[in-house]
Coordinates of all heavy atoms in Angstrom, one line a residue:
M1 N -2.5 6.8 15.1 CA -2.6 7.5 13.7 C -2.1 6.5 12.7 O -1.0 6.3 12.6 CB -1.9 8.8 13.7 CG -2.0 9.5 12.5 SD -1.3 11.2 12.4 CE -2.1 12.0 13.8
P2 N -3.0 5.9 11.8 CA -2.6 5.1 10.7 C -1.7 5.9 9.8 O -2.0 7.0 9.3 CB -3.9 4.7 10.0 CG -5.0 4.9 11.1 CD -4.5 6.1 11.9
F3 N -0.6 5.2 9.2 CA 0.3 5.8 8.3 C 0.6 4.7 7.2 O 1.0 3.6 7.4 CB 1.5 6.0 9.1 CG 2.8 6.3 8.2 CD1 2.9 7.6 7.6 CD2 3.8 5.4 8.0 CE1 4.0 7.9 6.9 CE2 4.8 5.7 7.3 CZ 5.0 7.0 6.6
V4 N 0.3 5.2 6.0 CA 0.6 4.3 4.7 C 1.8 4.9 4.0 O 1.8 6.1 3.6 CB -0.7 4.3 3.9 CG1 -0.4 3.4 2.7 CG2 -1.7 3.6 4.7
Q5 N 2.8 4.1 3.7 CA 4.0 4.5 3.0 C 3.9 3.8 1.6 O 3.9 2.5 1.6 CB 5.2 4.1 3.6 CG 6.6 4.3 2.9 CD 6.9 5.8 2.9 OE1 6.6 6.5 3.8 NE2 7.5 6.3 1.8
V6 N 3.8 4.4 0.6 CA 3.8 4.0 -0.8 C 5.2 4.2 -1.4 O 5.6 5.4 -1.5 CB 2.8 4.8 -1.7 CG1 2.8 4.2 -3.1 CG2 1.3 4.5 -1.1
T7 N 5.9 3.1 -1.6 CA 7.3 3.3 -2.1 C 7.2 2.6 -3.5 O 6.9 1.4 -3.6 CB 8.3 2.6 -1.3 OG1 8.2 3.0 0.0 CG2 9.6 2.7 -1.7
W8 N 7.6 3.4 -4.6 CA 7.6 2.8 -5.9 C 8.8 3.2 -6.7 O 9.5 4.2 -6.2 CB 6.3 3.2 -6.6 CG 6.0 4.6 -6.5 CD1 6.6 5.8 -6.3 CD2 4.6 5.2 -6.8 NE1 6.0 7.0 -6.4 CE2 4.8 6.6 -6.7 CE3 3.4 4.7 -7.2 CZ2 3.6 7.5 -6.9 CZ3 2.4 5.5 -7.4 CH2 2.3 6.9 -7.2
L9 N 8.9 2.7 -7.8 CA 10.1 3.0 -8.6 C 9.7 4.3 -9.2 O 8.7 4.5 -9.7 CB 10.4 1.9 -9.8 CG 10.8 0.6 -9.2 CD1 10.8 -0.5 -10.2 CD2 12.1 0.7 -8.3
P10 N 10.8 5.3 -9.4 CA 10.6 6.6 -10.1 C 10.2 6.4 -11.5 O 10.8 5.8 -12.3 CB 11.9 7.2 -9.9 CG 12.9 6.2 -9.7 CD 12.2 5.1 -9.1
K11 N 9.1 7.2 -11.9 CA 8.7 7.3 -13.2 C 8.1 8.7 -13.4 O 7.6 9.3 -12.6 CB 7.6 6.4 -13.6 CG 8.0 5.0 -13.6 CD 6.8 4.1 -14.1 CE 7.2 2.6 -14.4 NZ 6.0 1.8 -14.7
A12 N 8.4 9.2 -14.6 CA 8.1 10.6 -14.9 C 6.5 10.8 -14.8 O 6.1 12.0 -14.4 CB 8.5 11.1 -16.4
C13 N 5.7 9.8 -15.0 CA 4.3 9.9 -15.0 C 3.8 10.0 -13.5 O 2.6 10.3 -13.3 CB 3.5 8.8 -15.7 SG 3.9 7.2 -15.0
R14 N 4.7 9.8 -12.5 CA 4.2 9.7 -11.1 C 4.4 11.2 -10.5 O 5.2 11.3 -9.6 CB 5.0 8.6 -10.4 CG 4.5 7.2 -10.8 CD 5.2 6.1 -10.3 NE 4.6 4.9 -10.6 CZ 5.2 3.7 -10.6 NH1 6.5 3.7 -10.0 NH2 4.7 2.6 -10.9
N15 N 3.6 12.1 -11.1 CA 3.9 13.4 -10.6 C 2.8 13.7 -9.4 O 2.2 12.9 -9.0 CB 3.5 14.4 -11.8 CG 2.2 14.2 -12.4 OD1 1.2 13.8 -11.7 ND2 2.1 14.4 -13.7
A16 N 2.8 15.0 -9.0 CA 1.9 15.4 -7.8 C 0.5 15.1 -8.1 O -0.1 14.6 -7.1 CB 2.2 16.8 -7.6
Q17 N 0.1 15.3 -9.2 CA -1.5 14.9 -9.5 C -1.6 13.6 -9.4 O -2.7 13.1 -8.8 CB -1.9 15.5 -10.9 CG -2.0 17.0 -11.0 CD -0.5 17.6 -11.2 OE1 0.4 16.8 -11.8 NE2 -0.4 18.9 -11.1
V18 N -0.9 12.7 -9.9 CA -1.0 11.2 -9.8 C -0.9 10.7 -8.3 O -1.7 10.0 -7.9 CB 0.0 10.4 -10.7 CG1 0.1 9.0 -10.5 CG2 -0.2 10.8 -12.1
R19 N 0.1 11.2 -7.6 CA 0.2 10.9 -6.2 C -1.1 11.3 -5.4 O -1.5 10.6 -4.7 CB 1.5 11.6 -5.6 CG 2.7 11.1 -6.1 CD 3.9 11.5 -5.3 NE 4.1 12.9 -5.3 CZ 4.8 13.6 -6.2 NH1 5.4 13.0 -7.1 NH2 4.9 15.0 -6.0
E20 N -1.6 12.5 -5.8 CA -2.8 12.9 -5.1 C -3.9 11.9 -5.4 O -4.8 11.4 -4.4 CB -3.3 14.3 -5.5 CG -4.5 14.9 -4.9 CD -4.8 16.2 -5.1 OE1 -4.0 16.9 -5.9 OE2 -5.8 16.8 -4.7
K21 N -4.1 11.5 -6.6 CA -5.2 10.6 -6.9 C -4.9 9.2 -6.2 O -6.0 8.6 -5.8 CB -5.3 10.4 -8.5 CG -5.8 11.5 -9.2 CD -5.9 11.2 -10.8 CE -6.5 12.4 -11.5 NZ -6.4 12.1 -13.0
V22 N -3.8 8.7 -6.2 CA -3.4 7.4 -5.6 C -3.8 7.6 -4.1 O -4.3 6.7 -3.5 CB -2.0 7.1 -5.8 CG1 -1.5 5.8 -5.0 CG2 -1.8 6.6 -7.2
A23 N -3.3 8.7 -3.4 CA -3.5 8.8 -2.1 C -5.0 8.9 -1.7 O -5.4 8.3 -0.7 CB -2.9 10.2 -1.6
E24 N -5.8 9.6 -2.6 CA -7.3 9.6 -2.4 C -7.8 8.2 -2.4 O -8.8 7.8 -1.6 CB -7.9 10.6 -3.4 CG -7.6 12.0 -3.1 CD -8.2 12.9 -4.3 OE1 -8.9 12.4 -5.2 OE2 -8.1 14.1 -4.3
A25 N -7.4 7.3 -3.4 CA -7.9 6.0 -3.6 C -7.6 5.2 -2.4 O -8.3 4.5 -1.8 CB -7.3 5.5 -4.8
V26 N -6.2 5.4 -1.8 CA -5.8 4.6 -0.6 C -6.7 5.0 0.7 O -7.1 4.2 1.4 CB -4.4 4.8 -0.3 CG1 -4.0 4.4 1.1 CG2 -3.5 4.2 -1.3
L27 N -6.8 6.4 0.7 CA -7.7 6.9 1.9 C -9.0 6.4 1.8 O -9.7 5.8 2.9 CB -7.7 8.4 1.9 CG -6.3 9.1 2.2 CD1 -6.5 10.6 1.7 CD2 -6.1 9.0 3.7
K28 N -9.7 6.4 0.7 CA -11.1 6.1 0.5 C -11.2 4.5 0.8 O -12.1 4.0 1.5 CB -11.6 6.3 -0.9 CG -13.1 6.0 -1.2 CD -13.5 6.2 -2.5 CE -13.4 7.7 -2.8 NZ -13.9 8.1 -4.2
A29 N -10.2 3.7 0.4 CA -10.2 2.2 0.6 C -10.1 1.9 2.1 O -10.9 1.1 2.6 CB -9.2 1.5 -0.2
M30 N -9.2 2.6 2.8 CA -9.0 2.3 4.2 C -10.1 2.7 5.0 O -10.5 2.0 5.9 CB -7.6 2.9 4.5 CG -6.4 2.1 4.0 SD -4.8 2.7 4.6 CE -4.9 2.0 6.3
V31 N -10.6 3.9 4.7 CA -11.7 4.3 5.5 C -13.0 3.6 5.3 O -13.9 3.4 6.3 CB -12.0 5.8 5.3 CG1 -13.3 6.4 5.9 CG2 -10.8 6.7 5.7
S32 N -13.2 2.9 4.2 CA -14.3 2.2 3.9 C -14.5 0.8 4.6 O -15.5 0.3 4.7 CB -14.5 2.0 2.4 OG -13.5 1.0 1.9
V33 N -13.4 0.4 5.3 CA -13.4 -0.8 6.0 C -13.8 -0.5 7.4 O -13.1 -0.1 8.3 CB -12.0 -1.5 6.0 CG1 -12.1 -2.9 6.8 CG2 -11.6 -1.9 4.6
K34 N -15.1 -0.6 7.7 CA -15.7 -0.1 9.0 C -15.1 -0.8 10.3 O -14.9 -0.2 11.2 CB -17.2 -0.3 8.9 CG -17.9 0.6 7.9 CD -17.7 2.1 8.1 CE -18.4 2.8 6.8 NZ -17.8 4.1 6.6
E35 N -14.8 -2.1 10.0 CA -14.1 -2.8 11.1 C -12.8 -2.3 11.6 O -12.3 -2.5 12.6 CB -14.0 -4.3 10.8 CG -15.3 -5.0 10.5 CD -15.8 -4.9 9.0 OE1 -15.3 -4.1 8.3 OE2 -16.9 -5.4 8.7
A36 N -12.1 -1.6 10.6 CA -10.8 -1.1 10.9 C -10.9 0.2 11.7 O -9.9 0.6 12.4 CB -10.0 -0.7 9.6
D37 N -12.1 0.8 11.9 CA -12.3 2.1 12.7 C -11.2 3.1 12.5 O -10.5 3.5 13.4 CB -12.3 1.6 14.1 CG -12.8 2.7 14.9 OD1 -13.6 3.6 14.6 OD2 -12.5 2.8 16.2
I38 N -11.0 3.5 11.1 CA -10.0 4.5 10.9 C -10.7 5.8 10.5 O -11.6 5.9 9.6 CB -9.1 4.0 9.6 CG1 -8.4 2.7 9.9 CG2 -8.3 5.1 9.1 CD1 -7.7 2.1 8.8
S39 N -10.4 6.9 11.1 CA -10.9 8.1 10.8 C -10.0 8.8 9.7 O -8.8 8.9 9.7 CB -10.8 9.0 12.2 OG -11.1 10.3 11.8
P40 N -10.6 9.3 8.7 CA -9.9 10.1 7.7 C -9.1 11.3 8.1 O -8.0 11.6 7.6 CB -10.9 10.3 6.6 CG -12.3 10.4 7.3 CD -12.2 9.5 8.5
Q41 N -9.4 11.8 9.3 CA -8.7 12.9 9.8 C -7.3 12.4 10.3 O -6.4 13.3 10.5 CB -9.6 13.7 10.8 CG -10.6 14.5 10.2 CD -12.0 13.6 9.9 OE1 -12.1 12.5 10.4 NE2 -12.9 14.1 9.2
N42 N -7.2 11.2 10.7 CA -6.0 10.8 11.4 C -5.2 9.8 10.5 O -4.2 9.3 10.8 CB -6.4 9.8 12.6 CG -7.0 10.7 13.7 OD1 -6.7 11.9 13.7 ND2 -7.8 10.1 14.3
L43 N -5.5 9.7 9.1 CA -4.8 8.8 8.2 C -3.9 9.6 7.4 O -4.2 10.6 6.9 CB -5.8 8.1 7.3 CG -5.3 7.1 6.3 CD1 -4.5 6.0 7.0 CD2 -6.5 6.5 5.5
I44 N -2.6 9.1 7.2 CA -1.6 9.7 6.5 C -1.1 8.9 5.4 O -0.8 7.6 5.6 CB -0.4 10.0 7.4 CG1 -0.9 11.1 8.5 CG2 0.7 10.7 6.5 CD1 0.2 11.3 9.5
V45 N -1.0 9.3 4.2 CA -0.5 8.6 3.0 C 0.8 9.3 2.6 O 0.6 10.5 2.3 CB -1.5 8.4 1.9 CG1 -0.8 7.6 0.8 CG2 -2.6 7.7 2.3
R46 N 1.9 8.7 2.6 CA 3.1 9.3 2.1 C 3.8 8.5 0.9 O 3.5 7.3 0.9 CB 4.2 9.5 3.2 CG 3.7 10.5 4.2 CD 4.9 10.8 5.2 NE 4.4 11.8 6.1 CZ 4.7 11.7 7.5 NH1 5.5 10.8 8.0 NH2 4.1 12.6 8.3
F47 N 4.6 9.2 0.2 CA 5.2 8.5 -1.1 C 6.7 8.7 -0.9 O 7.2 9.6 -0.5 CB 4.7 9.3 -2.3 CG 3.2 9.0 -2.6 CD1 2.2 9.8 -2.1 CD2 2.8 7.9 -3.4 CE1 1.0 9.6 -2.3 CE2 1.5 7.7 -3.5 CZ 0.5 8.6 -3.0
A48 N 7.3 7.6 -1.4 CA 8.8 7.6 -1.5 C 9.2 6.9 -2.7 O 8.4 6.1 -3.4 CB 9.4 6.9 -0.3
E49 N 10.4 7.1 -3.2 CA 10.8 6.4 -4.6 C 12.0 5.6 -4.1 O 13.0 6.0 -3.3 CB 11.2 7.4 -5.6 CG 10.0 8.2 -6.2 CD 10.4 9.1 -7.2 OE1 11.5 9.5 -7.3 OE2 9.5 9.6 -7.9
S50 N 12.2 4.4 -4.7 CA 13.2 3.5 -4.5 C 14.2 3.8 -5.7 O 14.0 3.6 -6.8 CB 12.8 2.0 -4.7 OG 13.9 1.3 -4.6
T51 N 15.4 4.4 -5.1 CA 16.3 4.8 -6.1 C 17.7 4.3 -5.9 O 18.7 4.6 -6.7 CB 16.5 6.4 -6.2 OG1 16.8 6.8 -4.9 CG2 15.1 7.1 -6.6
D52 N 17.8 3.4 -5.0 CA 19.1 2.8 -4.7 C 19.5 1.4 -5.3 O 20.3 0.8 -4.9 CB 19.1 2.8 -3.2 CG 18.1 1.8 -2.6 OD1 17.2 1.2 -3.3 OD2 17.9 1.9 -1.3
N53 N 18.7 1.1 -6.3 CA 18.8 -0.2 -7.0 C 18.6 -1.4 -6.2 O 18.9 -2.6 -6.5 CB 20.2 -0.4 -7.6 CG 20.4 0.7 -8.7 OD1 19.4 0.9 -9.4 ND2 21.5 1.2 -8.9
F54 N 18.1 -1.4 -4.9 CA 17.6 -2.4 -4.2 C 16.1 -2.8 -4.5 O 15.3 -1.8 -4.7 CB 17.7 -2.2 -2.6 CG 19.1 -2.1 -2.2 CD1 19.8 -0.9 -2.0 CD2 19.8 -3.3 -1.9 CE1 21.1 -0.8 -1.5 CE2 21.2 -3.3 -1.5 CZ 21.8 -2.1 -1.3
P55 N 15.7 -4.0 -4.5 CA 14.3 -4.3 -4.8 C 13.4 -3.8 -3.7 O 13.8 -3.7 -2.6 CB 14.3 -5.8 -4.9 CG 15.4 -6.3 -4.0 CD 16.5 -5.1 -4.2
L56 N 12.2 -3.4 -4.1 CA 11.2 -3.0 -3.2 C 10.9 -4.2 -2.2 O 11.0 -5.4 -2.7 CB 9.9 -2.4 -3.9 CG 10.2 -1.2 -4.8 CD1 8.8 -1.0 -5.5 CD2 10.6 -0.1 -3.8
P57 N 10.5 -3.9 -1.0 CA 10.2 -5.0 -0.1 C 8.9 -5.7 -0.4 O 8.0 -5.0 -1.0 CB 10.1 -4.3 1.3 CG 9.7 -2.9 0.9 CD 10.4 -2.6 -0.3
K58 N 8.8 -7.0 -0.2 CA 7.6 -7.7 -0.5 C 6.6 -7.4 0.6 O 7.0 -7.1 1.7 CB 8.0 -9.2 -0.5 CG 8.8 -9.6 -1.8 CD 9.1 -11.0 -1.9 CE 9.9 -11.2 -3.1 NZ 10.0 -12.7 -3.4
G59 N 5.4 -7.7 0.4 CA 4.3 -7.5 1.3 C 3.0 -8.0 0.8 O 2.8 -9.0 0.2
Y60 N 1.9 -7.2 0.9 CA 0.6 -7.6 0.5 C 0.5 -7.2 -1.0 O 0.7 -6.0 -1.4 CB -0.5 -6.8 1.3 CG -0.6 -7.3 2.7 CD1 0.2 -6.8 3.8 CD2 -1.6 -8.3 3.1 CE1 0.2 -7.2 5.1 CE2 -1.6 -8.8 4.3 CZ -0.9 -8.3 5.3 OH -0.9 -8.7 6.6
S61 N 0.1 -8.1 -1.8 CA 0.0 -7.9 -3.2 C -0.9 -8.8 -3.8 O -1.0 -10.0 -3.5 CB 1.5 -8.0 -3.8 OG 1.3 -7.8 -5.3
L62 N -1.5 -8.5 -5.0 CA -2.3 -9.4 -5.8 C -1.2 -10.2 -6.8 O -1.6 -11.4 -7.3 CB -3.2 -8.7 -6.7 CG -4.3 -8.0 -6.0 CD1 -5.3 -7.3 -7.0 CD2 -5.2 -9.1 -5.1
N63 N 0.0 -9.8 -6.8 CA 1.1 -10.5 -7.6 C 1.7 -11.4 -6.7 O 2.5 -11.1 -5.7 CB 2.0 -9.5 -8.2 CG 3.1 -10.1 -8.8 OD1 3.4 -11.2 -8.9 ND2 3.7 -9.2 -9.8
P64 N 1.7 -12.8 -6.9 CA 2.3 -13.6 -6.0 C 3.8 -13.5 -6.0 O 4.4 -13.8 -5.0 CB 2.0 -15.1 -6.6 CG 1.0 -14.8 -7.7 CD 0.9 -13.4 -7.9
N65 N 4.4 -13.1 -7.0 CA 5.9 -12.8 -6.9 C 6.3 -11.7 -6.0 O 7.5 -11.6 -5.6 CB 6.4 -12.5 -8.2 CG 6.2 -13.7 -9.2 OD1 6.3 -14.8 -8.9 ND2 5.9 -13.4 -10.4
L66 N 5.3 -10.9 -5.6 CA 5.7 -9.7 -4.7 C 5.2 -10.0 -3.3 O 5.4 -9.2 -2.4 CB 5.0 -8.4 -5.2 CG 5.5 -8.0 -6.6 CD1 4.8 -6.7 -6.9 CD2 7.0 -7.7 -6.5
Q67 N 4.5 -11.2 -3.0 CA 4.0 -11.4 -1.6 C 5.2 -11.9 -0.7 O 6.1 -12.5 -1.2 CB 3.0 -12.6 -1.6 CG 1.7 -12.2 -2.3 CD 0.8 -13.3 -2.5 OE1 1.1 -14.3 -1.9 NE2 -0.3 -13.1 -3.1
A68 N 5.1 -11.4 0.4 CA 6.1 -11.8 1.5 C 6.4 -13.3 1.7 O 7.4 -13.8 1.8 CB 5.8 -11.2 2.8
R69 N 5.2 -14.0 1.5 CA 5.4 -15.5 1.4 C 4.1 -16.0 0.6 O 3.0 -15.4 0.8 CB 5.4 -16.2 2.8 CG 4.1 -16.0 3.6 CD 4.1 -16.8 4.9 NE 3.2 -16.5 5.9 CZ 1.8 -16.9 5.7 NH1 1.4 -17.7 4.8 NH2 1.0 -16.5 6.7
P70 N 4.2 -17.0 -0.1 CA 3.2 -17.4 -0.9 C 2.1 -17.9 -0.1 O 2.3 -18.7 0.9 CB 3.7 -18.6 -1.7 CG 5.3 -18.4 -1.6 CD 5.5 -17.7 -0.4
C71 N 0.8 -17.7 -0.4 CA -0.2 -18.2 0.4 C -1.5 -17.9 -0.4 O -1.6 -17.3 -1.5 CB -0.5 -17.4 1.7 SG -0.6 -15.7 1.6
D72 N -2.6 -18.6 -0.1 CA -4.0 -18.5 -0.6 C -4.9 -17.8 0.4 O -4.8 -18.0 1.5 CB -4.5 -19.8 -1.0 CG -3.8 -20.3 -2.3 OD1 -3.5 -19.5 -3.2 OD2 -3.5 -21.5 -2.3
P73 N -5.8 -17.0 0.0 CA -6.0 -16.5 -1.4 C -5.0 -15.5 -1.8 O -4.4 -14.8 -0.9 CB -7.4 -15.9 -1.4 CG -7.6 -15.5 0.0 CD -6.7 -16.4 0.9
I74 N -4.9 -15.2 -3.1 CA -4.0 -14.1 -3.5 C -4.3 -12.8 -2.9 O -5.4 -12.5 -2.9 CB -3.8 -14.1 -5.1 CG1 -3.3 -15.4 -5.7 CG2 -3.2 -12.9 -5.6 CD1 -3.3 -15.5 -7.2
G75 N -3.3 -12.1 -2.6 CA -3.5 -10.8 -2.0 C -3.3 -10.7 -0.5 O -3.0 -9.7 0.1
K76 N -3.2 -11.8 0.2 CA -2.8 -11.9 1.6 C -1.3 -12.0 1.7 O -0.7 -12.9 1.0 CB -3.5 -13.1 2.2 CG -5.0 -13.2 2.1 CD -5.7 -12.0 2.9 CE -7.2 -12.3 2.8 NZ -7.9 -11.1 3.2
G77 N -0.8 -11.2 2.6 CA 0.7 -11.2 2.7 C 1.1 -12.0 3.9 O 0.4 -12.8 4.4
S78 N 2.4 -11.9 4.3 CA 2.9 -12.8 5.4 C 2.2 -12.4 6.8 O 1.8 -11.2 7.0 CB 4.4 -12.6 5.5 OG 4.7 -11.2 5.9
D79 N 2.2 -13.3 7.6 CA 1.6 -13.2 9.0 C 0.3 -12.4 8.9 O 0.0 -11.7 9.8 CB 2.7 -12.5 9.8 CG 3.9 -13.1 10.0 OD1 4.0 -14.4 9.9 OD2 4.9 -12.4 9.8
D80 N -0.6 -12.8 8.0 CA -1.9 -12.1 7.9 C -2.8 -12.8 9.1 O -2.9 -14.0 9.2 CB -2.5 -12.5 6.6 CG -3.7 -11.6 6.3 OD1 -4.5 -11.5 7.1 OD2 -3.8 -11.1 5.2
P81 N -3.3 -12.0 9.9 CA -4.1 -12.5 11.0 C -5.4 -12.9 10.6 O -6.1 -13.6 11.4 CB -4.2 -11.2 12.0 CG -4.1 -10.0 11.0 CD -3.1 -10.5 9.9
L82 N -5.8 -12.7 9.3 CA -7.3 -13.0 8.9 C -7.2 -14.6 8.6 O -6.2 -15.0 8.1 CB -7.6 -12.3 7.7 CG -7.8 -10.8 7.9 CD1 -8.0 -10.1 6.5 CD2 -8.8 -10.5 8.9
P83 N -8.3 -15.3 9.0 CA -8.3 -16.7 8.7 C -8.3 -16.9 7.1 O -9.0 -16.1 6.4 CB -9.6 -17.2 9.2 CG -10.4 -15.9 9.5 CD -9.5 -14.8 9.6
K84 N -7.8 -17.8 6.7 CA -7.8 -18.3 5.2 C -9.1 -18.9 4.9 O -9.4 -19.9 5.6 CB -6.6 -19.2 4.9 CG -5.4 -18.7 5.4 CD -4.7 -17.5 4.5 CE -3.4 -17.2 4.8 NZ -3.3 -16.3 5.7
T85 N -9.8 -18.4 3.9 CA -11.2 -18.9 3.6 C -11.2 -19.4 2.2 O -10.4 -19.0 1.4 CB -12.3 -18.0 3.9 OG1 -12.2 -16.9 3.2 CG2 -12.5 -17.8 5.5

């Protein structure tokens, strides 16, 4: 069962309606990758807020400063199994 954790800094604008829209976008994006073979009935998106003053972990991002390790093309994170093209 695929599980996606969205951890972000708390902001007043990130209310239930915004979380629902973000979750729908994540669900749609993941299910649209046919090679991933993800059923929407088995996909979970959860939200958490970073409130302990520790920086959010690095990972897959279009922002090179947030990537786990610098690499090309932008958007690929650390230990990405996809070939670099």
Side-chain angles (χ1 to χ4, degrees):
M1 180 174 305
F3 168 75
V4 177
Q5 175 78 31
V6 176
T7 305
W8 51 18
L9 297 174
K11 290 187 176 182
C13 64
R14 293 177 175 161
N15 57 32
Q17 292 82 17
V18 170
R19 288 192 303 272
E20 184 176 351
K21 287 181 182 180
V22 171
E24 288 175 4
V26 170
L27 290 164
K28 188 180 293 185
M30 290 188 68
V31 170
S32 72
V33 179
K34 299 301 179 200
E35 295 86 353
D37 191 26
I38 296 173
S39 169
Q41 290 80 16
N42 294 329
L43 182 56
I44 299 171
V45 178
R46 292 195 178 137
F47 293 86
E49 293 181 343
S50 177
T51 58
D52 53 12
N53 293 325
F54 288 100
L56 296 175
K58 294 183 178 188
Y60 291 85
S61 177
L62 295 177
N63 179 342
N65 295 325
L66 299 178
Q67 292 178 6
R69 71 174 160 82
C71 60
D72 287 321
I74 291 177
K76 304 293 186 194
S78 66
D79 301 321
D80 194 316
L82 297 175
K84 309 286 187 269
T85 58

